[in-house]
Amino acid sequence: MPPRPRLPAWRLPARHLHASAWTKQPRTAAPPLSTSIAASLARAAGEEQAGRTELHGWIRSIRRQKNISFAVLSDGSQVGGVQVVLPKGLDDNLTVGCSASLQGQWVESRGKGQDKEFKVETVDFVGESDAETYPMPNTKQGIPLPVMRKNAHLRARKEGPAAVLRVRSEMNWAMANYLRREGFVRVEMPVITSSDCEGAGEVFRVVEAAPEAPAPASTAPASSPPPAESNASATDSSSTPPPPASPSRYLTVSTQLHLEAITSSLPRAYTLAPCFRAEKSDTARHLQEFTMLEAEVAFLDADAPTALDQVMTVAEETVRAIAAHVRAMPDTEAHFAKHSPGLVGRFDALLALERYPRISYTDVVALLQAHHARDPAAFAFAPTWGAGLQTEHERWLAEVHVQGPVFVTDYPTALKPFYMLPNSPSSSSASPSGAATAVGPTTACFDLLVPQLGELAGGSLREHRVTELERAMAAHGLDPRAYEWYLDLRRYGTTRHGGFGLGWERLVGLLTGEGNVRECTAFPRAAEGSRF
């Protein structure tokens, strides 16, 4: 019997390794990370006699007097910074924008606006900053938003952008916590896809860089060039038929189709993923790269209106859970008082006891037409059944008529993508309230509209019948061969399912008072371009 081959040392179980190759190391704790300014201040507030401590942050402003200097230090952990007091000499190297590690004690503040201030005893470290060229100075006029966006790498040094990023982080936690409690599984979705989910053609195509184009910066070692082919191999290859063309690849505009594949085995799934749309809309509500919360639910009710209500309820409760968490954040009251007092009413509407109203598109058009008849100057675009709702229509409905969030349901089929489930002819003929009559076929779908913004989320029931889905693809001019895998979901164990997508930056703006989605993400990509 031949001897068993010896495994190399790296393949051996740990128990077989020689002591010199592997030894147990004692578990020792690394030095703790530095404490944030907010945590240090909170601890000092509960202590009668605070001991010596250390603060780290960036200098936002400095005011020098004859024997003493006052500076504002911030590490982004709270609204506003803290006042630090430095004896003459310790402030020599401090400038606006520099980083600093300061040792000292919390003491009772003699000035107004804060209970505690930090009395500096030693300056441990200073990261230099030229105050003359620093792009984020403190000015009474403020820094124009285009300048802030151009310097997005430094923008979070300012109080407002830092607060937005903290809120955005907390929103992620609140959303994930709620959906986890409801049995949803988070799945990471592909960014590169071969399909245009919305069918609008507003996609970025992914292509390989041209050989002469400079390669992006990389830390990977350079690879050696492939060996040159001989003339013989080149001749042989010329007689071989070319391989079939690979499908075009795009940056995803929505992960919905892939998420439907997941809910074919996990009935409740969601993702928070980047999406890309190559639209030229240069408005406060549009980005070319944005984040989308998308959720999908299987095994919905057999009755389409009830099933649609089930999906709307998931969307509503998700928004409520996020808004309630942000409302309870310690910084929220200070943010309301200092920046956006009107936010209180916005949160009250989002968290009202009554559920968000549901109004059919047909009824909405009737309401808009009646208002437009009373006041012809109310809208720049006359409301017409069969046309999409303009932002001015959406805002009037949410801000004036409902004065809060509202779901608009059952849009005309011609306005919607191929994958949405059409309503039956009986349900298309009249709205649920019976107040208005639809002019044409409608689809089981919805948009969630909110004041000051318009559309926040959109969703629908999905067409689960393979024959009807193929018919819808043909009507939209789509090649079913490009969607074979999507059709397979209907061939093998389909369910009645639906879902929604919610623009994350829009929700961030809604909950922070920011009026432009470019201020709701760290590095905005919009039609105006970006240097990052």
Side-chain angles (χ1 to χ4, degrees), residues 436-484:
T437 301
V439 175
T442 63
T443 292
C445 63
F446 67 84
D447 283 344
L448 174 57
L449 311 180
V450 292
Q452 286 81 47
L453 176 64
E455 182 188 347
L456 175 64
S460 74
L461 303 185
R462 318 308 191 190
E463 177 57 82
H464 57 276
R465 302 162 296 183
V466 64
T467 304
E468 296 301 324
L469 185 58
E470 289 174 328
R471 188 175 289 117
M473 286 181 176
H476 283 78
L478 300 175
D479 183 356
R481 292 174 298 179
Y483 293 87
E484 275 298 314

Side-chain angles (χ1 to χ4, degrees), residues 67 116 142 147 190 229 231 246 353 369 397 439 457 461 472 491 503:
N67 297 315
K116 298 274 188 180
V147 175
E229 294 183 354
N231 289 336
S246 350
L353 294 177
Q369 289 175 337
L397 183 67
V439 175
L461 303 185
R491 295 184 181 117

Side-chain angles (χ1 to χ4, degrees), residues 13-27:
R15 66 178 182 274
H16 292 154
L17 294 180
H18 191 269
S20 62
W22 179 84
T23 55
K24 287 186 176 181
Q25 297 294 327
R27 184 179 178 185

Side-chain angles (χ1 to χ4, degrees), residues 322-372:
I322 297 169
H325 179 75
V326 173
R327 183 68 178 85
M329 286 174 60
D331 280 354
T332 301
E333 292 297 337
H335 185 73
F336 285 172
K338 193 167 185 179
H339 296 284
S340 305
L343 275 177
V344 176
R346 191 177 300 182
F347 274 86
D348 288 344
L350 290 171
L351 298 174
L353 294 177
E354 302 81 11
R355 75 172 191 162
Y356 302 164
R358 278 83 162 139
I359 308 177
S360 74
Y361 166 91
T362 301
D363 280 351
V364 166
V365 171
L367 289 168
L368 292 168
Q369 289 175 337
H371 180 68
H372 192 58

Side-chain angles (χ1 to χ4, degrees), residues 246-263:
S246 350
S248 297
R249 297 181 298 169
Y250 309 99
L251 295 180
T252 183
V253 299
S254 168
T255 65
Q256 178 210 309
L257 303 189
H258 295 86
L259 202 58
E260 286 188 52
I262 302 302
T263 51

Side-chain angles (χ1 to χ4, degrees), residues 150-172:
K150 182 181 178 182
N151 294 283
H153 57 306
L154 299 172
R155 181 169 63 165
R157 301 274 186 92
K158 302 300 288 182
E159 182 175 296
V164 167
L165 293 182
R166 284 199 309 274
V167 170
R168 183 174 176 131
S169 175
E170 289 293 318
M171 287 169 56
N172 288 348

Side-chain angles (χ1 to χ4, degrees), residues 249-449:
R249 297 181 298 169
Y250 309 99
L251 295 180
T252 183
V253 299
S254 168
T255 65
Q256 178 210 309
L257 303 189
H258 295 86
L259 202 58
E260 286 188 52
I262 302 302
T263 51
S264 293
S265 57
L266 300 172
R268 299 182 184 186
Y270 80 97
T271 189
L272 187 69
C275 294
F276 306 83
R277 294 192 183 171
E279 58 183 354
K280 302 300 182 184
S281 300
D282 191 13
T283 75
R285 304 192 311 150
H286 292 91
L287 291 168
Q288 291 189 334
E289 177 185 347
F290 57 97
T291 307
M292 183 89 81
L293 167 64
E294 296 187 87
E296 199 77 16
V297 185
F299 298 106
L300 294 172
D301 195 87
D303 177 64
T306 304
L308 190 65
D309 192 60
Q310 289 175 317
V311 178
M312 286 188 284
T313 298
V314 174
E316 176 177 342
E317 293 304 317
T318 302
V319 171
R320 285 180 179 273
I322 297 169
H325 179 75
V326 173
R327 183 68 178 85
M329 286 174 60
D331 280 354
T332 301
E333 292 297 337
H335 185 73
F336 285 172
K338 193 167 185 179
H339 296 284
S340 305
L343 275 177
V344 176
R346 191 177 300 182
F347 274 86
D348 288 344
L350 290 171
L351 298 174
L353 294 177
E354 302 81 11
R355 75 172 191 162
Y356 302 164
R358 278 83 162 139
I359 308 177
S360 74
Y361 166 91
T362 301
D363 280 351
V364 166
V365 171
L367 289 168
L368 292 168
Q369 289 175 337
H371 180 68
H372 192 58
R374 291 191 298 269
D375 181 6
F379 303 125
F381 297 90
T384 306
W385 201 101
L389 298 182
Q390 301 292 327
T391 301
E392 60 178 351
H393 302 151
E394 296 173 341
R395 292 190 59 176
W396 175 85
L397 183 67
E399 294 172 21
V400 179
H401 185 72
V402 175
Q403 298 182 358
V406 55
F407 286 103
V408 178
T409 68
D410 305 309
Y411 283 77
T413 301
L415 297 177
K416 294 301 176 181
F418 73 95
Y419 54 76
M420 292 189 178
L421 180 72
N423 285 317
S424 63
S426 58
S427 61
S428 289
S429 62
S431 66
S433 66
T437 301
V439 175
T442 63
T443 292
C445 63
F446 67 84
D447 283 344
L448 174 57
L449 311 180

